[in-house]
Amino acid sequence: MTSHEERFQALIDSEEKIESTDWMPDGYRATLIRQIAQHAHSEVIGMQPEGNWITRAPSLDRKAILMAKVQDEAGHGLYLYSATETLGVTRDEVVELLHQGKHKYSSIFNYPTLSWADMGTIGWLVDGAAITNQVMLTRCSYGPYSRAMVRICKEESFHQRQGYEILLALCRGTDEQKAMAQDSVNRWWWPSLMMFGPHDSASTHSEQSMNWKIKRVSNDDLRQQFVDMTVPQADYLGLTLPDPDLQWNEERGHYDFGSIDWDEFWQVVKGNGPMNRERLSHKIKAWDDGAWVREAAAAHAAKQARKKEVA
């Protein structure tokens, strides 16, 4: 090992943070760019399924809360794009990779939001799965990423409670409202379990990410943690999770659950989900329509810089 490699490994082994000014292996840098950028893409694309319901929220309060949540997701994307820039790439570069289909985003956002109950289920299940995955990222070995995740996790916790409260209101409402909540959970349960990614044995990046302490907990362990946390919450709501194999295993001290449809997962990842094309085309159109704003901001910044030079 070179002296640079030895120092890098020493920092990793001692649980210290790698900072943007530290030497790092090319593979470590590339892994972080891919992971953080795709996390940022997911936050931005994830605004679409919820933005779909802002104009149709059932009350002014619900509308205001949902708007605030969507704005939070935009902020998360900005934090994370900023973190990728500390690794030597520009925001425009990683956004272009998304638009070209070379970068992915979370498969969960390629499913449609068909009812108001979906706003509750996304908050409860989707954001709940995200928190389960992201809390361990607050201990990521790369400093800028881990620090961004501290604030993001706090805001995601609010989103989960907001979603759960929507479902609680529906489940305490009319029979039709509770049926709408149950239908929503039936549609989102399995895609939420897919959010943790493939089994560890089938994951391309997990082992190396674990060795570098970018990732701290395996996909399967995170998925199990999420199931164990969520089943009692579903019981409190009076909703049934759509898995006939779901049952408590006394010996394991965990819930057993059924097999995930990995064929569906990979089809969505490859771009063949219900909303893949619509999500990406909407994102590209928004980027193109906003070009004049970016150009105006750049021109203003250049003008201000010239004024400082003259002064």
Side-chain angles (χ1 to χ4, degrees):
M1 293 175 69
T2 66
S3 59
H4 288 309
E5 291 170 330
E6 288 175 353
R7 170 169 167 71
F8 172 82
Q9 193 59 52
L11 288 172
I12 294 289
D13 293 342
S14 62
E15 296 289 341
E16 294 187 46
K17 298 300 182 188
I18 305 298
E19 300 297 342
S20 60
T21 53
D22 292 329
W23 182 91
M24 63 188 74
D26 290 342
Y28 181 83
R29 185 185 303 275
T31 296
L32 283 168
I33 290 172
R34 175 191 57 79
Q35 180 172 328
I36 302 173
Q38 292 182 181
H39 191 167
H41 302 329
S42 299
E43 297 284 358
V44 174
I45 295 288
M47 296 165 65
Q48 293 185 41
E50 293 174 309
N52 178 44
W53 278 91
I54 287 175
T55 60
R56 296 180 286 167
S59 71
L60 183 59
D61 285 344
R62 295 291 189 192
K63 184 191 295 286
I65 293 169
L66 185 57
M67 287 178 67
K69 181 184 179 185
V70 172
Q71 288 175 323
D72 281 350
E73 306 297 358
H76 298 172
L78 291 175
Y79 303 154
L80 293 165
Y81 282 132
S82 295
T84 63
E85 290 177 319
T86 68
L87 292 158
V89 293
T90 68
R91 192 172 308 184
D92 286 0
E93 286 173 334
V94 293
V95 169
E96 182 59 26
L97 289 170
L98 171 67
H99 293 173
Q100 293 174 356
K102 296 178 181 178
H103 268 186
K104 304 296 184 184
Y105 55 88
S106 180
S107 60
I108 194 74
F109 299 121
N110 290 311
Y111 291 87
T113 46
L114 304 179
S115 72
W116 170 251
D118 287 0
M119 297 302 95
T121 306
I122 286 176
W124 174 42
L125 294 182
V126 176
D127 292 333
I131 293 167
T132 304
N133 187 52
Q134 292 170 8
V135 165
M136 65 97 177
L137 292 174
T138 63
R139 298 188 292 116
C140 169
S141 61
Y142 187 58
Y145 192 21
S146 70
R147 289 189 288 272
M149 292 314 306
V150 171
R151 178 165 182 174
I152 289 173
C153 285
K154 289 179 180 179
E155 293 176 353
E156 292 288 4
S157 295
F158 162 75
H159 299 167
Q160 186 196 29
R161 295 306 303 168
Q162 175 250 349
Y164 194 77
E165 193 274 334
I166 289 175
L167 289 179
L168 190 61
L170 291 172
C171 289
R172 290 176 173 175
T174 65
D175 290 343
E176 290 80 3
Q177 288 173 319
K178 186 170 184 179
M180 181 169 60
Q182 182 65 65
D183 171 71
S184 180
V185 170
N186 290 347
R187 287 183 286 106
W188 288 94
W189 173 248
W190 290 107
S192 296
L193 294 190
M194 295 176 194
M195 284 180 67
F196 296 97
H199 290 307
D200 301 309
S201 58
S203 177
T204 306
H205 304 286
S206 279
E207 184 177 357
Q208 183 60 76
S209 291
M210 294 278 282
N211 291 338
W212 278 328
K213 298 184 181 180
I214 295 172
K215 185 173 183 174
R216 308 302 296 249
V217 184
S218 72
N219 294 349
D220 290 327
D221 287 346
L222 287 169
R223 190 166 16 247
Q224 183 69 67
Q225 181 181 332
F226 173 71
V227 172
D228 291 345
M229 173 185 70
T230 305
V231 173
Q233 296 172 355
D235 290 342
Y236 186 81
L237 289 170
L239 296 175
T240 302
L241 298 174
D243 180 357
D245 297 323
L246 185 66
Q247 61 180 348
W248 178 253
N249 185 319
E250 193 66 41
E251 292 184 5
R252 292 178 60 236
H254 296 286
Y255 283 95
D256 292 334
F257 54 96
S259 299
I260 293 170
D261 185 348
W262 293 113
D263 288 339
E264 176 183 334
F265 171 78
W266 289 115
Q267 281 298 309
V268 176
V269 168
K270 292 175 182 177
N272 301 316
M275 300 292 290
N276 285 70
R277 293 171 181 80
E278 290 85 352
R279 296 288 188 241
L280 192 54
S281 64
H282 182 93
K283 171 66 177 64
I284 293 171
K285 183 178 185 301
W287 179 262
D288 292 342
D289 289 348
W292 70 271
V293 179
R294 298 191 299 277
E295 292 165 2
H300 177 73
K303 184 178 179 180
Q304 294 300 108
R306 287 194 296 270
K307 283 184 178 180
K308 287 183 179 180
E309 288 175 2
V310 172

